[in-house]
Amino acid sequence: GAQRVVDIITSRAQVTSLLLNHSALHDDGCEVLFEFLCSEIGRRHNIMEIHLGSTQMGDRGLRALCRYLNGNTTLLNLALPNNAFTNNTELVSTFTDAINKSRVCMLALSSNSQLTDGFFIPFLSALMTPQLQCLLLAAVGLTELSVPALIDYISSPRSRALTELSLNSNNIPHTSVVQFLEAVRKHNYRLTRCELYANFESNLTPEAREHWRADQRFIQKLLSRNLLLSRQVHREAVWLLKHARPVLLGRTVDGSNSPRLPIELLVHILSYLSPSLSEAQCARVCNYAGDRSTLP
């Protein structure tokens, strides 16, 4: 089956998506597929999306995928739900390193219940790709043991691009959910979608169920806050960029030379155009605006 997929790819001028869910590739098929994609002919295809859900991919197949991911600059969406790879320590490290060296924006690992905390504690602790925007971890066997690593990740600059996180159908208790939500409240202003459904036992008391409903209402308030702030920051950043260009590049709108002030003073004056931006955000916009290589 994998060879048939390779033949189809080879026969086409360009392939950008591989949707191979529910095809029993197993490890052998995955190795054949990714060996081809790593070849000179395979690299000609700018694959942007790979879905390999329910393909019975094991550890050998995941290692083959890691070889393809290393340094890959075209793949954006990677979905690996419901497969058979394990939480082998060396494999987790290899996979995390490959993700960090890629440009993957969406990573789906849902329905891999065999992975549990043994996979995700080291994975979340070492995950630092600045590209990841969506992380789907529903039904992967997470418990309270993974929550400290999860909190550290969403509270740090390592998750600065992450806007969507799914943690449905795990085994995270109420006390750990409260800790996670408090970390989002204090440290994370980027998440705009976060799901925590079905993280409780079916025999909860009415009082405990009400606590869960309150948690859901609280997370929705936090996500609404983040969405509002992200929109506001985006507007102000664009507005700042528009006016910082001529000032920092030394020319006014009419083309005449503008008086030169110390760069620190110019940036301070410009910061009043974007009161919602932090000092670091303002500095990044101004550095971009003053770089001639970024001009269209």
PDB file of all heavy atoms in Angstrom, residues 122-145:
ATOM      1  N   PRO A 122       8.166  14.234  29.602  1.00  0.00           N
ATOM      2  CA  PRO A 122       9.387  14.674  28.908  1.00  0.00           C
ATOM      3  C   PRO A 122       9.096  15.470  27.634  1.00  0.00           C
ATOM      4  O   PRO A 122       9.853  16.377  27.278  1.00  0.00           O
ATOM      5  CB  PRO A 122      10.124  13.367  28.603  1.00  0.00           C
ATOM      6  CG  PRO A 122       9.083  12.298  28.652  1.00  0.00           C
ATOM      7  CD  PRO A 122       8.088  12.754  29.654  1.00  0.00           C
ATOM      8  N   PHE A 123       8.003  15.136  26.946  1.00  0.00           N
ATOM      9  CA  PHE A 123       7.663  15.846  25.713  1.00  0.00           C
ATOM     10  C   PHE A 123       7.362  17.315  26.000  1.00  0.00           C
ATOM     11  O   PHE A 123       7.932  18.218  25.369  1.00  0.00           O
ATOM     12  CB  PHE A 123       6.459  15.179  25.051  1.00  0.00           C
ATOM     13  CG  PHE A 123       5.921  15.917  23.854  1.00  0.00           C
ATOM     14  CD1 PHE A 123       6.609  15.939  22.658  1.00  0.00           C
ATOM     15  CD2 PHE A 123       4.706  16.592  23.924  1.00  0.00           C
ATOM     16  CE1 PHE A 123       6.121  16.625  21.551  1.00  0.00           C
ATOM     17  CE2 PHE A 123       4.198  17.277  22.833  1.00  0.00           C
ATOM     18  CZ  PHE A 123       4.909  17.293  21.647  1.00  0.00           C
ATOM     19  N   LEU A 124       6.481  17.587  26.952  1.00  0.00           N
ATOM     20  CA  LEU A 124       6.107  18.967  27.276  1.00  0.00           C
ATOM     21  C   LEU A 124       7.271  19.724  27.909  1.00  0.00           C
ATOM     22  O   LEU A 124       7.403  20.943  27.714  1.00  0.00           O
ATOM     23  CB  LEU A 124       4.899  18.979  28.208  1.00  0.00           C
ATOM     24  CG  LEU A 124       3.580  18.499  27.591  1.00  0.00           C
ATOM     25  CD1 LEU A 124       2.528  18.297  28.668  1.00  0.00           C
ATOM     26  CD2 LEU A 124       3.079  19.482  26.539  1.00  0.00           C
ATOM     27  N   SER A 125       8.120  19.014  28.643  1.00  0.00           N
ATOM     28  CA  SER A 125       9.258  19.670  29.299  1.00  0.00           C
ATOM     29  C   SER A 125      10.303  20.148  28.299  1.00  0.00           C
ATOM     30  O   SER A 125      11.013  21.118  28.562  1.00  0.00           O
ATOM     31  CB  SER A 125       9.904  18.716  30.312  1.00  0.00           C
ATOM     32  OG  SER A 125       8.984  18.345  31.320  1.00  0.00           O
ATOM     33  N   ALA A 126      10.404  19.459  27.148  1.00  0.00           N
ATOM     34  CA  ALA A 126      11.434  19.797  26.156  1.00  0.00           C
ATOM     35  C   ALA A 126      10.867  20.498  24.928  1.00  0.00           C
ATOM     36  O   ALA A 126      11.625  20.919  24.054  1.00  0.00           O
ATOM     37  CB  ALA A 126      12.170  18.529  25.722  1.00  0.00           C
ATOM     38  N   LEU A 127       9.548  20.638  24.849  1.00  0.00           N
ATOM     39  CA  LEU A 127       8.917  21.248  23.672  1.00  0.00           C
ATOM     40  C   LEU A 127       9.198  22.744  23.654  1.00  0.00           C
ATOM     41  O   LEU A 127       8.859  23.465  24.594  1.00  0.00           O
ATOM     42  CB  LEU A 127       7.409  21.004  23.710  1.00  0.00           C
ATOM     43  CG  LEU A 127       6.600  21.426  22.481  1.00  0.00           C
ATOM     44  CD1 LEU A 127       7.044  20.662  21.237  1.00  0.00           C
ATOM     45  CD2 LEU A 127       5.108  21.204  22.728  1.00  0.00           C
ATOM     46  N   MET A 128       9.811  23.234  22.574  1.00  0.00           N
ATOM     47  CA  MET A 128      10.159  24.652  22.513  1.00  0.00           C
ATOM     48  C   MET A 128      10.041  25.247  21.108  1.00  0.00           C
ATOM     49  O   MET A 128      10.580  26.322  20.841  1.00  0.00           O
ATOM     50  CB  MET A 128      11.564  24.875  23.062  1.00  0.00           C
ATOM     51  CG  MET A 128      12.662  24.113  22.365  1.00  0.00           C
ATOM     52  SD  MET A 128      14.271  24.363  23.154  1.00  0.00           S
ATOM     53  CE  MET A 128      13.986  23.689  24.777  1.00  0.00           C
ATOM     54  N   THR A 129       9.360  24.558  20.214  1.00  0.00           N
ATOM     55  CA  THR A 129       9.199  25.122  18.876  1.00  0.00           C
ATOM     56  C   THR A 129       8.395  26.418  18.938  1.00  0.00           C
ATOM     57  O   THR A 129       7.348  26.472  19.582  1.00  0.00           O
ATOM     58  CB  THR A 129       8.502  24.118  17.938  1.00  0.00           C
ATOM     59  OG1 THR A 129       8.168  24.786  16.719  1.00  0.00           O
ATOM     60  CG2 THR A 129       7.233  23.550  18.564  1.00  0.00           C
ATOM     61  N   PRO A 130       8.850  27.475  18.265  1.00  0.00           N
ATOM     62  CA  PRO A 130       8.100  28.737  18.271  1.00  0.00           C
ATOM     63  C   PRO A 130       6.967  28.770  17.254  1.00  0.00           C
ATOM     64  O   PRO A 130       6.279  29.773  17.122  1.00  0.00           O
ATOM     65  CB  PRO A 130       9.175  29.763  17.907  1.00  0.00           C
ATOM     66  CG  PRO A 130      10.115  29.007  17.025  1.00  0.00           C
ATOM     67  CD  PRO A 130      10.148  27.605  17.570  1.00  0.00           C
ATOM     68  N   GLN A 131       6.755  27.656  16.533  1.00  0.00           N
ATOM     69  CA  GLN A 131       5.761  27.632  15.460  1.00  0.00           C
ATOM     70  C   GLN A 131       4.427  27.030  15.887  1.00  0.00           C
ATOM     71  O   GLN A 131       3.402  27.294  15.261  1.00  0.00           O
ATOM     72  CB  GLN A 131       6.293  26.803  14.267  1.00  0.00           C
ATOM     73  CG  GLN A 131       7.719  27.106  13.866  1.00  0.00           C
ATOM     74  CD  GLN A 131       7.897  28.505  13.326  1.00  0.00           C
ATOM     75  OE1 GLN A 131       6.957  29.108  12.845  1.00  0.00           O
ATOM     76  NE2 GLN A 131       9.116  29.026  13.418  1.00  0.00           N
ATOM     77  N   LEU A 132       4.400  26.238  16.946  1.00  0.00           N
ATOM     78  CA  LEU A 132       3.226  25.431  17.283  1.00  0.00           C
ATOM     79  C   LEU A 132       2.057  26.300  17.747  1.00  0.00           C
ATOM     80  O   LEU A 132       2.138  26.982  18.760  1.00  0.00           O
ATOM     81  CB  LEU A 132       3.581  24.421  18.371  1.00  0.00           C
ATOM     82  CG  LEU A 132       2.557  23.310  18.611  1.00  0.00           C
ATOM     83  CD1 LEU A 132       2.377  22.460  17.351  1.00  0.00           C
ATOM     84  CD2 LEU A 132       2.972  22.437  19.782  1.00  0.00           C
ATOM     85  N   GLN A 133       0.957  26.228  16.998  1.00  0.00           N
ATOM     86  CA  GLN A 133      -0.237  27.013  17.305  1.00  0.00           C
ATOM     87  C   GLN A 133      -1.378  26.158  17.850  1.00  0.00           C
ATOM     88  O   GLN A 133      -2.249  26.663  18.559  1.00  0.00           O
ATOM     89  CB  GLN A 133      -0.712  27.751  16.050  1.00  0.00           C
ATOM     90  CG  GLN A 133       0.306  28.714  15.480  1.00  0.00           C
ATOM     91  CD  GLN A 133      -0.149  29.309  14.162  1.00  0.00           C
ATOM     92  OE1 GLN A 133      -1.332  29.291  13.816  1.00  0.00           O
ATOM     93  NE2 GLN A 133       0.794  29.829  13.398  1.00  0.00           N
ATOM     94  N   CYS A 134      -1.394  24.883  17.516  1.00  0.00           N
ATOM     95  CA  CYS A 134      -2.496  23.999  17.911  1.00  0.00           C
ATOM     96  C   CYS A 134      -1.933  22.665  18.380  1.00  0.00           C
ATOM     97  O   CYS A 134      -1.181  22.016  17.650  1.00  0.00           O
ATOM     98  CB  CYS A 134      -3.450  23.807  16.727  1.00  0.00           C
ATOM     99  SG  CYS A 134      -4.781  22.642  17.046  1.00  0.00           S
ATOM    100  N   LEU A 135      -2.305  22.243  19.607  1.00  0.00           N
ATOM    101  CA  LEU A 135      -1.830  20.990  20.179  1.00  0.00           C
ATOM    102  C   LEU A 135      -3.039  20.210  20.696  1.00  0.00           C
ATOM    103  O   LEU A 135      -3.740  20.666  21.603  1.00  0.00           O
ATOM    104  CB  LEU A 135      -0.844  21.269  21.313  1.00  0.00           C
ATOM    105  CG  LEU A 135      -0.213  20.062  22.016  1.00  0.00           C
ATOM    106  CD1 LEU A 135       0.572  19.208  21.015  1.00  0.00           C
ATOM    107  CD2 LEU A 135       0.710  20.526  23.144  1.00  0.00           C
ATOM    108  N   LEU A 136      -3.283  19.041  20.110  1.00  0.00           N
ATOM    109  CA  LEU A 136      -4.458  18.245  20.438  1.00  0.00           C
ATOM    110  C   LEU A 136      -4.021  17.000  21.202  1.00  0.00           C
ATOM    111  O   LEU A 136      -3.374  16.104  20.640  1.00  0.00           O
ATOM    112  CB  LEU A 136      -5.213  17.860  19.159  1.00  0.00           C
ATOM    113  CG  LEU A 136      -5.587  19.029  18.234  1.00  0.00           C
ATOM    114  CD1 LEU A 136      -6.365  18.528  17.017  1.00  0.00           C
ATOM    115  CD2 LEU A 136      -6.390  20.089  18.973  1.00  0.00           C
ATOM    116  N   LEU A 137      -4.404  16.950  22.486  1.00  0.00           N
ATOM    117  CA  LEU A 137      -4.000  15.860  23.374  1.00  0.00           C
ATOM    118  C   LEU A 137      -5.216  15.252  24.059  1.00  0.00           C
ATOM    119  O   LEU A 137      -5.194  14.970  25.261  1.00  0.00           O
ATOM    120  CB  LEU A 137      -3.013  16.371  24.433  1.00  0.00           C
ATOM    121  CG  LEU A 137      -1.732  17.058  23.932  1.00  0.00           C
ATOM    122  CD1 LEU A 137      -0.883  17.524  25.091  1.00  0.00           C
ATOM    123  CD2 LEU A 137      -0.942  16.108  23.028  1.00  0.00           C
ATOM    124  N   ALA A 138      -6.284  15.011  23.323  1.00  0.00           N
ATOM    125  CA  ALA A 138      -7.480  14.395  23.893  1.00  0.00           C
ATOM    126  C   ALA A 138      -7.290  12.883  24.000  1.00  0.00           C
ATOM    127  O   ALA A 138      -6.751  12.253  23.095  1.00  0.00           O
ATOM    128  CB  ALA A 138      -8.698  14.705  23.028  1.00  0.00           C
ATOM    129  N   ALA A 139      -7.727  12.332  25.114  1.00  0.00           N
ATOM    130  CA  ALA A 139      -7.718  10.878  25.326  1.00  0.00           C
ATOM    131  C   ALA A 139      -6.328  10.271  25.130  1.00  0.00           C
ATOM    132  O   ALA A 139      -6.144   9.307  24.386  1.00  0.00           O
ATOM    133  CB  ALA A 139      -8.727  10.200  24.395  1.00  0.00           C
ATOM    134  N   VAL A 140      -5.354  10.834  25.822  1.00  0.00           N
ATOM    135  CA  VAL A 140      -3.990  10.295  25.743  1.00  0.00           C
ATOM    136  C   VAL A 140      -3.512   9.787  27.106  1.00  0.00           C
ATOM    137  O   VAL A 140      -2.325   9.499  27.276  1.00  0.00           O
ATOM    138  CB  VAL A 140      -3.002  11.357  25.200  1.00  0.00           C
ATOM    139  CG1 VAL A 140      -3.309  11.671  23.748  1.00  0.00           C
ATOM    140  CG2 VAL A 140      -3.006  12.608  26.055  1.00  0.00           C
ATOM    141  N   GLY A 141      -4.412   9.688  28.063  1.00  0.00           N
ATOM    142  CA  GLY A 141      -4.051   9.116  29.363  1.00  0.00           C
ATOM    143  C   GLY A 141      -3.344  10.049  30.308  1.00  0.00           C
ATOM    144  O   GLY A 141      -2.636   9.604  31.218  1.00  0.00           O
ATOM    145  N   LEU A 142      -3.523  11.368  30.144  1.00  0.00           N
ATOM    146  CA  LEU A 142      -2.892  12.325  31.051  1.00  0.00           C
ATOM    147  C   LEU A 142      -3.516  12.240  32.443  1.00  0.00           C
ATOM    148  O   LEU A 142      -4.733  12.102  32.578  1.00  0.00           O
ATOM    149  CB  LEU A 142      -3.049  13.752  30.520  1.00  0.00           C
ATOM    150  CG  LEU A 142      -2.326  14.116  29.223  1.00  0.00           C
ATOM    151  CD1 LEU A 142      -2.667  15.533  28.817  1.00  0.00           C
ATOM    152  CD2 LEU A 142      -0.827  13.954  29.384  1.00  0.00           C
ATOM    153  N   THR A 143      -2.686  12.359  33.480  1.00  0.00           N
ATOM    154  CA  THR A 143      -3.160  12.430  34.863  1.00  0.00           C
ATOM    155  C   THR A 143      -2.564  13.676  35.526  1.00  0.00           C
ATOM    156  O   THR A 143      -1.905  14.491  34.859  1.00  0.00           O
ATOM    157  CB  THR A 143      -2.733  11.180  35.660  1.00  0.00           C
ATOM    158  OG1 THR A 143      -1.318  11.225  35.894  1.00  0.00           O
ATOM    159  CG2 THR A 143      -3.075   9.903  34.906  1.00  0.00           C
ATOM    160  N   GLU A 144      -2.769  13.781  36.837  1.00  0.00           N
ATOM    161  CA  GLU A 144      -2.227  14.939  37.558  1.00  0.00           C
ATOM    162  C   GLU A 144      -0.707  14.990  37.505  1.00  0.00           C
ATOM    163  O   GLU A 144      -0.111  16.053  37.721  1.00  0.00           O
ATOM    164  CB  GLU A 144      -2.696  14.928  39.014  1.00  0.00           C
ATOM    165  CG  GLU A 144      -2.142  13.801  39.877  1.00  0.00           C
ATOM    166  CD  GLU A 144      -2.994  12.551  39.814  1.00  0.00           C
ATOM    167  OE1 GLU A 144      -3.821  12.419  38.888  1.00  0.00           O
ATOM    168  OE2 GLU A 144      -2.837  11.692  40.706  1.00  0.00           O
ATOM    169  N   LEU A 145      -0.040  13.873  37.190  1.00  0.00           N
ATOM    170  CA  LEU A 145       1.420  13.852  37.129  1.00  0.00           C
ATOM    171  C   LEU A 145       1.957  14.723  35.993  1.00  0.00           C
ATOM    172  O   LEU A 145       3.073  15.246  36.079  1.00  0.00           O
ATOM    173  CB  LEU A 145       1.920  12.412  36.963  1.00  0.00           C
ATOM    174  CG  LEU A 145       1.590  11.443  38.106  1.00  0.00           C
ATOM    175  CD1 LEU A 145       2.109  10.048  37.778  1.00  0.00           C
ATOM    176  CD2 LEU A 145       2.172  11.938  39.416  1.00  0.00           C
TER     177      LEU A 145
END
